[in-house]
Amino acid sequence: MKTLSSVQRKQQACVLSVADTLEQQGREELQGFLQCWFDMQYHHFPDSLLLRFQFENEAALTAAQPALRKWQKRLSAALVRKGVVLKDMRRHLVFTLDGPDT
């Protein structure tokens, strides 16, 4: 596995910090929330960033769906505070039943 450059490590630290914060908030505010995970391609950051909120079942996912826009705004605001601007916040956070191993 290739080691990350210093810029890539900074990108990763930024996203991990934001993801951890949002995950903690998700656990407190969303019923059936399991975890937050992300994936990105460093050479296309921030456009390639996709944060996923995983829910335990379809009912929890359906109940949380109306709040999706609010969470997308939270992600965008948290990244702006870190100096990262998302062009279209709707593309970077989704609610799902799939886990990172799926």
Side-chain angles (χ1 to χ4, degrees):
M1 184 170 161
K2 184 179 173 187
T3 59
L4 299 176
S5 71
S6 62
V7 170
Q8 291 170 332
R9 284 193 301 272
K10 287 179 186 177
Q11 291 170 343
Q12 185 181 47
C14 171
V15 173
L16 279 172
S17 171
V18 168
D20 286 345
T21 301
L22 290 178
E23 182 174 43
Q24 182 60 35
Q25 292 173 354
R27 289 184 197 284
E28 295 169 1
E29 297 178 30
L30 297 169
Q31 286 294 108
F33 176 82
L34 291 178
Q35 65 180 340
C36 171
W37 57 282
F38 70 91
D39 102 75
M40 68 179 177
Q41 298 171 344
Y42 292 100
H43 57 284
H44 291 294
F45 181 79
D47 290 339
S48 67
L49 175 64
L50 180 57
L51 208 70
R52 294 175 177 94
F53 275 26
Q54 181 183 354
F55 290 86
E56 61 188 23
N57 57 41
E58 189 68 41
L61 178 65
T62 302
Q65 206 63 41
L68 177 59
R69 183 99 171 146
K70 174 179 87 171
W71 286 93
Q72 290 168 334
K73 287 180 181 179
R74 282 188 184 183
L75 170 63
S76 181
L79 286 172
V80 164
R81 284 192 294 274
K82 300 273 187 181
V84 177
V85 177
L86 300 176
K87 291 180 185 175
D88 181 6
M89 67 182 167
R90 294 177 304 224
R91 291 185 14 212
H92 299 283
L93 189 141
V94 296
F95 290 172
T96 184
L97 295 175
D98 297 334
D101 300 328
T102 312

